[in-house]
Amino acid sequence: MNNNIVIEIPSIKKEVLRVAAYCRVSTAYEEQQTSLDAQIQYYTDYINNHERWALAGIYSEQASGTRFDNRTAFNRMMKDCRAGKIDYIITKSISRFGRNTLPFLQSFNELLGLGITIYFEMERLDSSDWRMLKIIATAAAVAQSESESKSANIKWGIQRSFEKGHVKLNHTNFLGYTKDENGKLIIVEEEAKIVWLIYDLYLKGYGCRKIKSYLEKNDIKTVTGKSEWSTSTIDRILSNEKYVGTVLSQKNYVENCLTHKQVKNNGELPMYLIEDNHDAIISKEVFEKVQHQKFI
């Protein structure tokens, strides 16, 4: 194929063509490199400067390219297409439109069925030309393959980090701990007293529901400052090995780069136990008593 071929805008029998643009960046870093604001301005000017074109909307967002369910702007654009508000869509590239082949093609084919044309600028591909459909499908599969390769590299790096004993812990909303300037977990004394109380009550025979009732009656707040506790939160506190200074890494993992769904690790991947990672709030003896009591 001659790389210099420019695909012309199709001749659609309308006095005014309602044209929309879809812009996406997937990460904050990418947003810094290619500002969404700059893309919005570019497409706004590009569309407004064409005769017999009307700006139907600029749909922009920061979202993953492998998922379509959480892409608010994309889904809003599709809704407007179904409502007959758009005739033509311009987007920077196939990978901007989406990196997951199946939902990409589903959306792509739905737009074709609605009589809406999509133009991919970087690839110079126009969906109104039937010869381009196979190329578009192939390019979409390549985009997905690149995402899968990138995901595999990230997972490999995480595995090597775990093997070396490096731990990344999310201390946000973690009752009893915060982080110091070096990123190490440190105890928050007032919160640690609540953790101690929960363990003590459990060993005295209180179940999670009774502990919940006790905490609420005594106006003891959750880590986020709420008055109401959930039994599932209390149960997790009673099962969290981090309270004895130990970290068990990779208890959950991302199933694949397309769904981004976290699943429980039931032996599919190795887990890494790191002891004495940080100061303990609960002794190992107390923790083990609680675990034994939970399963008898």
Side-chain angles (χ1 to χ4, degrees):
M1 181 184 291
N2 185 343
N3 289 331
N4 294 320
I5 292 176
V6 176
I7 300 172
E8 297 296 333
I9 301 299
S11 175
I12 299 176
K13 294 180 179 179
K14 288 192 176 183
E15 286 189 10
V16 176
L17 197 63
R18 297 166 299 176
V19 182
Y22 177 69
C23 317
R24 180 183 66 79
V25 292
S26 57
T27 64
Y29 174 78
E30 191 176 39
E31 163 65 5
Q32 291 169 3
Q33 299 301 305
T34 309
S35 168
L36 271 180
D37 290 339
Q39 290 187 52
I40 291 167
Q41 188 61 55
Y42 166 76
Y43 282 117
T44 300
D45 294 342
Y46 184 73
I47 293 169
N48 285 332
N49 288 334
H50 275 73
E51 275 190 59
R52 297 170 66 184
W53 279 17
L55 180 62
I58 305 293
Y59 301 83
S60 63
E61 60 194 337
Q62 181 182 312
S64 167
T66 56
R67 293 181 60 180
F68 281 66
D69 58 341
N70 68 337
R71 288 164 65 178
T72 305
F74 183 89
N75 292 325
R76 182 163 49 85
M77 179 182 72
M78 292 297 294
K79 185 178 179 181
D80 287 347
C81 287
R82 296 181 191 110
K85 297 178 180 179
I86 298 171
D87 302 313
Y88 196 85
I89 297 170
I90 302 173
T91 191
K92 183 179 178 182
S93 66
I94 287 170
S95 64
R96 294 302 89 194
F97 195 78
R99 285 183 176 272
N100 187 342
T101 305
L102 181 58
F104 171 94
L105 292 177
Q106 287 172 339
S107 300
F108 180 79
N109 288 331
E110 182 181 357
L111 291 171
L112 290 185
L114 292 169
I116 296 166
T117 302
I118 317 158
Y119 180 65
F120 304 99
E121 281 195 300
M122 283 184 63
E123 294 86 357
R124 294 182 179 178
L125 296 179
D126 192 319
S127 64
S128 68
D129 188 336
W130 67 268
R131 292 170 298 180
M132 297 298 171
L133 299 186
K134 186 174 181 180
I135 299 172
I136 288 171
T138 302
V142 169
Q144 176 177 324
S145 177
E146 288 174 352
S147 281
E148 290 171 344
S149 176
K150 182 179 178 181
S151 176
N153 288 336
I154 291 170
K155 286 179 180 178
W156 184 89
I158 291 171
Q159 292 283 111
R160 302 293 82 75
S161 180
F162 285 156
E163 288 172 3
K164 293 175 181 177
H166 298 159
V167 179
K168 284 188 177 180
L169 295 174
N170 182 8
H171 70 288
T172 307
N173 299 338
F174 185 15
L175 184 67
Y177 288 103
T178 187
K179 280 189 177 180
D180 64 16
E181 62 277 7
N182 299 314
K184 187 175 177 62
L185 285 180
I186 55 173
I187 294 173
V188 179
E189 293 296 339
E190 290 304 309
E191 293 181 8
K193 290 175 185 177
I194 302 172
V195 176
W196 252 112
L197 176 62
I198 290 170
Y199 274 77
D200 185 52
L201 290 171
Y202 192 82
L203 289 177
K204 286 178 178 175
Y206 284 58
C208 289
R209 288 185 183 277
K210 198 172 178 182
I211 294 173
K212 165 184 163 70
S213 178
Y214 181 95
L215 296 171
E216 290 172 357
K217 283 180 181 177
N218 287 276
D219 196 31
I220 297 171
K221 301 292 193 294
T222 69
V223 69
T224 56
K226 294 180 181 177
S227 298
E228 185 177 348
W229 288 75
S230 72
T231 53
S232 60
T233 296
I234 294 167
D235 185 63
R236 283 196 298 271
I237 289 171
L238 291 167
S239 304
N240 195 334
E241 80 288 342
K242 295 181 185 70
Y243 287 120
V244 298
T246 297
V247 177
L248 182 61
S249 296
Q250 205 156 251
K251 290 187 285 188
N252 301 290
Y253 67 98
V254 176
E255 192 172 29
N256 63 64
C257 72
L258 303 181
T259 64
H260 294 270
K261 182 182 177 182
Q262 279 218 349
V263 296
K264 186 176 180 180
N265 185 359
N266 292 312
E268 294 85 356
L269 295 173
M271 286 188 264
Y272 302 88
L273 186 68
I274 303 166
E275 295 187 313
D276 301 319
N277 179 74
H278 51 274
D279 291 335
I281 292 174
I282 302 297
S283 70
K284 290 183 180 179
E285 292 74 20
V286 168
F287 186 80
E288 286 169 5
K289 281 182 184 178
V290 167
Q291 304 321 301
H292 176 72
Q293 191 163 311
K294 287 181 74 175
F295 293 103
I296 59 173

